[in-house]
Amino acid sequence: MSRIGNLPINMPKGVTITVNGNEVIVKGPKGELKQTIDPSIKVEVKDEQVHVSRPNDEKETRAKHGLYRALIHNMVVGVSEGYKQTLELVGVGFRASNQGQVLELALGFTHNIFVKLAPEIKVETKSERNQNPLVMLESCDKQLLGQVCAKLRSFRMPEPYKGKGVKFVGEQIRRKAGKSAGAK
């Protein structure tokens, strides 16, 4: 029995959910999101709550039951509160700046990296003296935000010896000891 799938989703004020066949549309103050649902999963809205149910107990149907409930919950939270992620650029000479939706990263390569971000993502960069540059990303779509953060992080993954690279704020990097000097 799915514990996640059986939980009802509460709708905050200002959020509306419509179910059109296999598509769930969630509208709120931060935006609008759509998700196509597998035909075997049933979604119904009653009394300011969303209930997700499944017709049988097959393994695949049970897996999709919890998945689609979690996706709809993420959409409700996204359009009501939004999601934020902050990346930190650790390294000498690493810089970040943005011109509208174009993010420019200087990560120690011969050329700067320019990334054009989707219009659903709000980007802000912050560079202070004696502080690592920060890239703050905000969106109502959790999946899109995660993909963009993973892409930016993949340009220069944090390395285990000095910890240089693009990392999430608060992330702990497992460090390795370097060569031991004078060992014979």
Side-chain angles (χ1 to χ4, degrees):
M1 179 161 80
S2 173
R3 295 180 185 189
I4 298 293
N6 290 331
L7 291 174
I9 303 166
N10 295 321
M11 291 194 312
K13 287 190 166 128
V15 175
T16 59
I17 298 178
T18 27
V19 181
N20 296 335
N22 291 350
E23 191 172 61
V24 175
I25 301 166
V26 182
K27 292 180 186 175
K30 297 264 185 181
E32 176 182 334
L33 295 172
K34 296 178 183 176
Q35 177 68 47
T36 305
I37 304 290
D38 190 85
S40 64
I41 303 296
K42 186 179 174 191
V43 178
E44 45 188 36
V45 181
K46 307 185 252 191
D47 309 329
E48 296 295 316
Q49 287 188 332
V50 181
H51 297 276
V52 181
S53 58
R54 61 176 188 254
N56 54 37
D57 278 344
E58 293 177 12
K59 187 173 184 178
E60 189 176 336
T61 312
R62 285 192 321 234
K64 289 179 181 175
H65 185 210
L67 168 76
Y68 286 122
R69 189 264 176 208
L71 291 177
I72 294 169
H73 180 262
N74 288 344
M75 290 164 53
V76 169
V77 172
V79 298
S80 60
E81 300 168 21
Y83 290 101
K84 293 179 184 175
Q85 198 62 261
T86 306
L87 297 169
E88 182 179 13
L89 281 59
V90 180
V92 176
F94 286 12
R95 291 186 316 276
S97 63
N98 69 305
Q99 302 287 321
Q101 289 299 102
V102 177
L103 180 65
E104 180 182 358
L105 299 170
L107 298 175
F109 298 115
T110 56
H111 299 297
N112 291 349
I113 299 168
F114 292 91
V115 181
K116 183 157 177 29
L117 299 173
E120 296 89 20
I121 294 185
K122 295 181 185 95
V123 63
E124 184 184 338
T125 55
K126 189 164 110 181
S127 298
E128 292 180 10
R129 198 169 167 87
N130 297 328
Q131 297 281 328
N132 291 327
L134 298 175
V135 178
M136 279 107 32
L137 300 166
E138 186 177 346
S139 177
C140 64
D141 191 347
K142 189 176 185 178
Q143 293 176 13
L144 179 65
L145 184 65
Q147 285 177 334
V148 169
C149 288
K151 182 68 177 172
L152 295 177
R153 196 168 184 265
S154 72
F155 291 134
R156 182 72 86 172
M157 294 287 285
E159 52 95 19
Y161 296 101
K162 292 185 178 178
K164 291 175 21 176
V166 179
K167 68 181 193 108
F168 294 106
V169 169
E171 178 183 9
Q172 296 292 319
I173 306 296
R174 285 188 60 195
R175 302 296 289 272
K176 289 183 178 179
K179 290 182 186 177
S180 55
K184 292 183 181 183

